[in-house]
Amino acid sequence: MDTQQEEIDLQKLLRQQLHSLGQFGVREIPVGNGDFEFQFEAEEASIEPIERSKVPPNNSPQPAAKTVAKATAIPAPAATTPLSDNWGPATVHDERPSALEIINAEVRGCTKCEELCAKRIQTVFGVGDPSARLVFVGEGPGADEDRMGEPFVGKAGKLLNKILAASKLKREEVYILNTVKCRPPRNRNPTESEIRDCWDYADRQLEVIQPEFICCLGSVAAKTMLQTTQSLGRLRGKFHPWKGARLIVTYHPAYLLRNEGAKRHVWEDMQLLVKEMGIDLSN
Ligand code: URA
């Protein structure tokens, strides 16, 4: 078989495979490691190769274009992104904001925990960049967060903002979420069953965002994510593997407000974290 015929056959095979994926509702496929990258529109199953030479350089270790792992769970958008001459990672349609919005809509309507949803003003989903390299995971909303609908906006949040600034991180460039989405009354810890019922939302947020780094603020987040009963003191100060991300544990900012002495440990943990992220704190 000559090369031209082989190419035609290959394209035909690819079209068929993409067409059947499209019928299952798959909107995008991850970019591969070969010389070409493909995006396809499900209805037309049209194939458009992108030459790597046209792809702008990306210095970040995070892949420029990420597709949502649970693609089948995401309804197809009404309009598809038109393919143009200059499309590449920067213009590949990123479904993360809409995927997060779908989860948020579920959270808003959640009635799994009777007490929490009877007493909440609103659910507190998360805030930040849906493509963040780093996600902070707190415990649960307090009174201020319940009122504002955003995590870490009260006293502990102000301290977290200072920690971020000292670590050369911008709040809008990271993503912040909590282990549970509703305020536990009187600021008690969330119960095991509340965490069990709620954690799936955060887990799915993380699956959409696909961060490289995760920082657990406090033992509720750490024990939930690492499925351990070990103390925070034993868990902090090192990276733990978590579903392809690197997870670090540190003290909760609210704990720091009561225990000044723990601040130096948080600073050590943040230095370790941002160093791994390639951030230079020396100037
Ligand atoms: N403490 C948390 O764990 N989360 C918040 O959003 C606020 C305070």
Side-chain angles (χ1 to χ4, degrees):
M1 206 186 308
D2 63 20
T3 324
Q4 206 182 359
Q5 186 57 46
E6 265 180 36
E7 215 169 273
I8 290 166
D9 288 348
L10 190 60
Q11 284 211 3
K12 198 172 155 198
L13 189 67
L14 269 172
R15 275 179 209 285
Q16 282 166 354
Q17 291 196 345
L18 293 175
H19 180 71
S20 44
L21 279 171
Q23 287 185 324
F24 280 97
V26 177
R27 308 290 309 161
E28 293 181 1
I29 51 173
V31 293
N33 294 325
D35 291 338
F36 293 97
E37 296 167 347
F38 295 97
Q39 184 190 28
F40 74 98
E41 302 295 338
E43 288 88 350
E44 296 141 23
S46 63
I47 304 171
E48 287 283 334
I50 314 172
E51 287 168 50
R52 277 207 182 272
S53 58
K54 286 188 190 158
V55 176
N58 172 24
N59 295 329
S60 156
Q62 185 174 4
K66 291 192 284 185
T67 47
V68 175
K70 274 194 181 170
T72 48
I74 297 158
T80 52
T81 311
L83 301 178
S84 67
D85 282 339
N86 64 350
W87 65 286
T91 54
V92 167
H93 182 60
D94 190 337
E95 294 193 341
R96 278 171 290 194
S98 50
L100 289 175
E101 196 36 56
I102 288 167
I103 306 168
N104 193 4
E106 266 183 63
V107 168
R108 274 192 226 107
C110 182
T111 56
K112 284 191 225 167
C113 305
E114 205 179 317
E115 187 191 12
L116 301 201
C117 78
K119 296 198 171 152
R120 75 184 175 212
I121 297 173
Q122 59 190 312
T123 56
V124 179
F125 183 65
V127 70
D129 180 357
S131 317
R133 293 179 66 202
L134 168 62
V135 173
F136 287 90
V137 183
E139 182 179 312
D144 295 310
E145 290 74 21
D146 189 32
R147 210 160 16 84
M148 306 285 283
E150 182 174 325
F152 286 97
V153 290
K155 269 193 191 157
K158 300 227 161 29
L159 183 51
L160 176 61
N161 290 346
K162 285 186 187 166
I163 295 169
L164 293 177
S167 311
K168 289 200 184 167
L169 295 166
K170 293 201 171 83
R171 188 172 161 111
E172 62 274 17
E173 285 171 4
V174 300
Y175 195 93
I176 306 171
L177 56 83
N178 279 313
T179 307
V180 297
K181 307 300 186 198
C182 297
R183 180 191 179 204
R186 299 170 306 281
N187 295 341
R188 64 161 170 77
N189 279 1
T191 64
E192 272 180 30
S193 87
E194 287 162 354
I195 293 173
R196 220 179 11 255
D197 282 342
C198 203
W199 174 252
D200 183 56
Y201 297 126
D203 198 30
R204 284 163 59 200
Q205 281 174 282
L206 290 163
E207 198 179 337
V208 168
I209 299 167
Q210 299 261 317
E212 283 171 74
F213 297 93
I214 296 169
C215 180
C216 287
L217 299 169
S219 64
V220 168
K223 289 175 178 174
T224 302
M225 293 193 73
L226 296 173
Q227 289 288 288
T228 179
T229 52
Q230 278 192 355
S231 70
L232 195 138
R234 295 187 82 87
L235 295 170
R236 61 160 291 271
K238 58 188 173 212
F239 286 100
H240 306 260
W242 193 87
K243 294 190 184 177
R246 302 181 71 192
L247 183 154
I248 197 164
V249 171
T250 199
Y251 291 102
H252 193 288
Y255 179 79
L256 298 187
L257 292 169
R258 303 185 302 268
N259 299 276
E260 282 265 323
K263 279 187 180 170
R264 71 184 172 87
H265 295 306
V266 172
W267 183 230
E268 283 163 13
D269 297 333
M270 292 306 297
Q271 283 175 290
L272 180 61
L273 171 60
V274 298
K275 186 168 174 227
E276 282 301 298
M277 293 177 73
I279 296 172
D280 182 3
L281 294 178
S282 66
N283 52 35

